[in-house]
């Protein structure tokens, strides 16, 4: 039961996001995992591993898919959506990563690949 409690505490501590149909959605202050959230939105579980998702916490934005892995799609999605997330969290200096190294449930897992993202704002 301890694992479940620490996992829920971690979920509440971060802002989760998913990219669905080329749009980003956020989940804050929730005990739900990404898969629980995805199913609660009415999507089919068998499509879940193809969804680029992640979270932001502690000055980091982390993107992944499948079993917390990354590929070219994940990296390109991070480059596209990180500036939007930085604006959402009001943190232009947040570091962007792809993939995480799985660790103990409820602990923060270390990211794999750091991505440099240009976030220069367009002047109007």
């Amino acid at each position: 039961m301890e694992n479940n409690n620490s996992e829920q505490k971690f979920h509440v501590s971060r802002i989760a996001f998913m990219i669905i149909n080329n749009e980003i959605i956020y989940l804050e202050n929730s005990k739900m995992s990404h898969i629980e959230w995805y199913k609660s939105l009415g999507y089919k579980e068998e499509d879940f591993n193809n969804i680029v998702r992640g979270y932001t916490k502690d000055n980091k934005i982390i993107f992944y898919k499948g079993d917390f892995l990354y590929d070219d799609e994940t990296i390109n999605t991070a480059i596209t959506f990180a500036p939007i997330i930085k604006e959402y969290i009001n943190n232009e200096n947040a570091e962007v990563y792809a993939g995480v190294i799985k660790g103990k449930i409820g602990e923060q897992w270390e990211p794999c690949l750091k991505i440099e993202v240009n976030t220069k704002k367009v002047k109007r």
Side-chain angles (χ1 to χ4, degrees), residues 73-92:
E73 179 192 10
T74 310
I75 293 167
N76 290 331
T77 300
I79 291 167
T80 299
F81 284 93
I84 297 165
I85 297 170
K86 286 181 178 196
E87 192 171 309
Y88 181 84
I89 63 172
N90 195 27
N91 184 351
E92 190 176 309

Side-chain angles (χ1 to χ4, degrees), residues 37-91:
W37 178 29
Y38 187 76
K39 291 191 302 188
S40 80
L41 296 172
Y43 294 107
K44 295 182 204 159
E45 186 172 348
E46 57 265 25
D47 297 330
F48 178 70
N49 283 330
N50 297 319
I51 297 298
V52 176
R53 63 193 193 278
Y55 64 89
T56 180
K57 178 178 165 67
D58 299 335
N59 203 40
K60 294 178 182 167
I61 303 169
I62 303 174
F63 292 80
Y64 49 84
K65 68 183 198 180
D67 195 20
F68 305 97
L69 304 172
Y70 68 92
D71 58 10
D72 288 344
E73 179 192 10
T74 310
I75 293 167
N76 290 331
T77 300
I79 291 167
T80 299
F81 284 93
I84 297 165
I85 297 170
K86 286 181 178 196
E87 192 171 309
Y88 181 84
I89 63 172
N90 195 27
N91 184 351

Side-chain angles (χ1 to χ4, degrees), residues 14 16-18 32-38 48 53-54 64:
R14 49 88 160 127
F17 60 84
M18 290 190 288
M32 277 195 288
S33 67
H34 279 97
I35 186 73
E36 292 168 328
W37 178 29
Y38 187 76
F48 178 70
R53 63 193 193 278
Y64 49 84

Side-chain angles (χ1 to χ4, degrees), residues 87 90 92 118-124:
E87 192 171 309
N90 195 27
E92 190 176 309
N118 182 357
T119 59
K120 301 249 186 294
K121 295 194 178 191
V122 176
K123 303 257 184 197
R124 296 184 194 260

